Each structure stands twice: as structure tokens, then as C-alpha cells.
Amino acid sequence: MKITDKISRSDKTLFSFELLPPLKGHNIERVYQAIDPLMEFDPSFINVTYHQEEVVYKKHPSGLLEKKTIRKRPGTVAISAAIKYKYPSLEVVPHLICGGFSKEDTEYALIDFHYLGINNLLALRGDPPKGIRDFIPEPDGHPYALGLVEQIVRMNNGLYLDEDLRNTAATNFCVGIAGYPEKHIESPNFAYDLKYLKEKIDAGAGFIITQMFFNNQDYFDFVNRCREAGITVPIIPGLKPVATLRDINILPQVFNIDIPEDLVKEIQQCKTNEQAFQVGIEWTINQSKELIKFGVPVLHYFTISISENIRQIASAVF
Ligand code: FAD
């Protein structure tokens, strides 16, 4: 079922979460071990992230450095299909990115999803690879997620890249996109970010999942700005519990988000990662309860494939 239909048919806040594919060489059992403890909370859908290739330098005994391109977390398409096969009641939402994909690669990925019966996607641009400042699309790839949304919508209308194809099968994808309550790092201001967000909605995206935030007011303000701009689709808040002492320094760097002073103080008073883990759980429970009161359609948790904190949060909230 489409995520948008799941939301419109429900009169309560739904539960969903995001998983990362395991690191290359690890077993898919890790994915199931993250999902199983959360099944009792009746998740409506599970997102599976997509990871672009990275450049790494391997040092040889001679001292020479060899430049290698590797994908550390492959398998998004197969993991999505495996989840659907093992948990038939679950909808799966694979992420699809522009980075590393030509338009033709994108078309082949969409054909695979279509054949697998996967009808929900999160369309993203992707970040530049580690250590590189600017995002560089493939020579025939999409520079922004907008192009990806447009390509998916064209396939929903039976239009493939090869215009000579006749009697094509129209796909039936429900497309989600990312939103940034604290603004995307590259945007000069909120107005720009919103203009491009609206372009993706006008192109056919049906829902938004937000970047993590730790102050609900950022989400409330974002929703108000979106509604004023004429964006009416569901805006799903993304939540990540702080899990270690270092998270208060790492998360702002990686995701360009702010950690509220009260949360910083609470974490700084912790002596161990275990204590910080518990503070993160309590903070996210409070955030979740307030968001439910606000009437959010879904609470979406970024698990980083560790489900114990999400299990404790879900049991307090749902
Ligand atoms: P875009 O919509 O392309 O926007 C990128 C920037 O360009 C923004 O600043 C925007 O304002 C601007 N912009 C957009 N359109 C135009 C235009 N036409 N002209 C000029 N400027 C424009 N990354 C991954 O690699 N894999 C994942 O699985 C993944 N999952 C994510 C899940 C969520 C919920 C979120 C919030 C992010 C995720 N990301 C993931 C990170 C995401 O790919 C990055 O934040 C990326 O930098 C931006 O992606 P986007 O789809 O928002 O980009």
C-alpha cells in the first residue's frame, strides 16, 4: 500500500523507522535483529538507506597509497526485497539517490523495484562523498532530487527514457522526499530551501520525511512555513535519540542541526555512554509525546540499526 494511503486511512499517529544496510561482509541477520524487537509496535513502514561509493586510500607495505572506490553498505534493493518477503505485513521504503547514478542507472533501479512489487520510495540527491565539498552528479545524472522525482513520475505515466518504447508498463510509485526543519546546509536561506521543496511536491512527491531535530519548535515552524507556501502533503518528523557522549558534537557536524542547551547539559553531566543512551531515550520520548499531541501523521525513527533505544521509546509512546 502507498504510504500516503496508509496515512490517510489512519486516525492515529503511525510508527516507522529507518535502517542502514549492514557493512559489506556482514550478515543480513543484523537487519532482522534490528527489526524483530520493534515488530510488536506494528511499524507501518521501514526505510532502507542508500549509500554511494566512497573513495578510500589503501596503504601498501612500500608506502605507496592506492586509491580505491568502494561501497561500504551495498544491498539496498536486495535488503528491501528481503524485508518484504520476511515481513509481508510491512511496507518498505528504499532510498534512491542521484549520486553515482546516471538517468539510465536510475531507470534500471526503478524497473527492479517495480518487478519486486516495491511501490514506495524516498527520492534524494545524496551527499557528496566524504572529504569532498561539492556534490557532483554523474555526467548524465540528476543534479538535484527534483530530476529524480520527475523521472519517477514519468515512469508512473509509462514514459521511459527510450521514447521509442511502445506499450510500456506504467509504474505506481509513491514518492517521498527529504525536508529540513533547520534548513539544508547548502541553502542560502529558508526561502530558497522551501522554494525547491515546493518544486519537488509540484512535480509529484507525496510526502516529506524530515531531517532529525531535537527541538520540536523547529518542526512546528517548518510545518507552518510549508503550509503557508501551499505544501499540503504529510510532513513526517524524523527523530534520532542521542546514543553516546560524543553524539552532541558529531550530530551537528554531520547533519547540520542544533542540539538544545538543556540536552547538551544533561549529556555533559553523564559519566558513561550508557547514561547518555538513557538521556537520549527520555528526551526522544518527550519529543514524541508532544509531536503526537500536535497530530503528526507518523513518528519516524532513525535507528542506525540499533533498536534497543527505539524499542524503549516505542513502548513508552505507542
Ligand atoms: P535536493 O532536493 O537536491 O536539495 C539539495 C540542495 O540544493 C538544497 O540546498 C536545495 O535547497 C538546493 N536545490 C534543490 N533544487 C535546486 C535547484 N533546482 N536549483 C538550485 N538549488 C536547488 N543521503 C544518502 O546518501 N542516502 C540516504 O539514504 C539518505 N537518506 C536520507 C533520509 C532523510 C530523511 C534525510 C532528511 C536525508 C537523507 N540523506 C541521505 C541525505 C540527503 O541526501 C542530503 O541531505 C543531501 O545533501 C540533500 O538531499 P535532498 O534530496 O534534500 O536534495
Side-chain angles (χ1 to χ4, degrees), residues 18 47-52 95-98 122-128 143-146 177-180 184-188 192-194 196-197 199-200 209-212 238 300 302:
E18 176 190 286
N47 283 43
V48 183
T49 56
Y50 196 98
H51 298 261
Q52 204 185 331
H95 295 186
L96 190 57
I97 61 174
C98 306
L122 197 70
L124 303 142
R125 188 196 67 181
D127 280 322
Y144 298 106
L146 172 65
I177 53 171
Y180 302 86
H184 186 258
I185 188 167
E186 294 163 31
S187 258
Y192 260 77
D193 224 15
L194 211 58
Y196 294 125
L197 189 71
E199 274 186 8
K200 290 186 281 187
I209 301 185
T210 76
Q211 184 56 279
M212 66 184 72
H300 183 73
F302 301 115

Side-chain angles (χ1 to χ4, degrees), residues 208-269:
I208 295 169
I209 301 185
T210 76
Q211 184 56 279
M212 66 184 72
F213 54 89
F214 292 89
N215 178 354
N216 284 349
Q217 195 56 49
D218 290 330
Y219 170 83
F220 300 145
D221 293 344
F222 176 66
V223 171
N224 286 337
R225 274 196 296 272
C226 287
R227 300 305 181 224
E228 278 166 16
I231 295 172
T232 56
V233 302
I235 302 177
I236 300 172
L239 296 175
K240 153 112 181 68
V242 167
T244 67
L245 293 165
R246 290 182 65 222
D247 272 0
I248 54 169
N249 302 111
I250 293 171
L251 297 175
Q253 277 183 50
V254 177
F255 299 105
N256 191 43
I257 46 100
D258 229 49
I259 311 260
E261 193 52 31
D262 288 353
L263 179 55
V264 172
K265 278 188 191 147
E266 283 190 50
I267 297 290
Q268 282 175 337
Q269 281 162 12

Side-chain angles (χ1 to χ4, degrees), residues 100-147:
F101 279 77
S102 66
K103 288 177 189 148
E104 206 161 338
D105 295 333
T106 299
E107 185 167 274
Y108 292 137
L110 292 172
I111 289 170
D112 284 346
F113 287 131
H114 179 56
Y115 287 161
L116 287 165
I118 291 170
N119 292 321
N120 293 289
L121 297 169
L122 197 70
L124 303 142
R125 188 196 67 181
D127 280 322
K130 237 181 225 164
I132 296 174
R133 207 188 52 194
D134 296 323
F135 175 82
I136 301 169
E138 290 301 296
D140 182 31
H142 297 294
Y144 298 106
L146 172 65

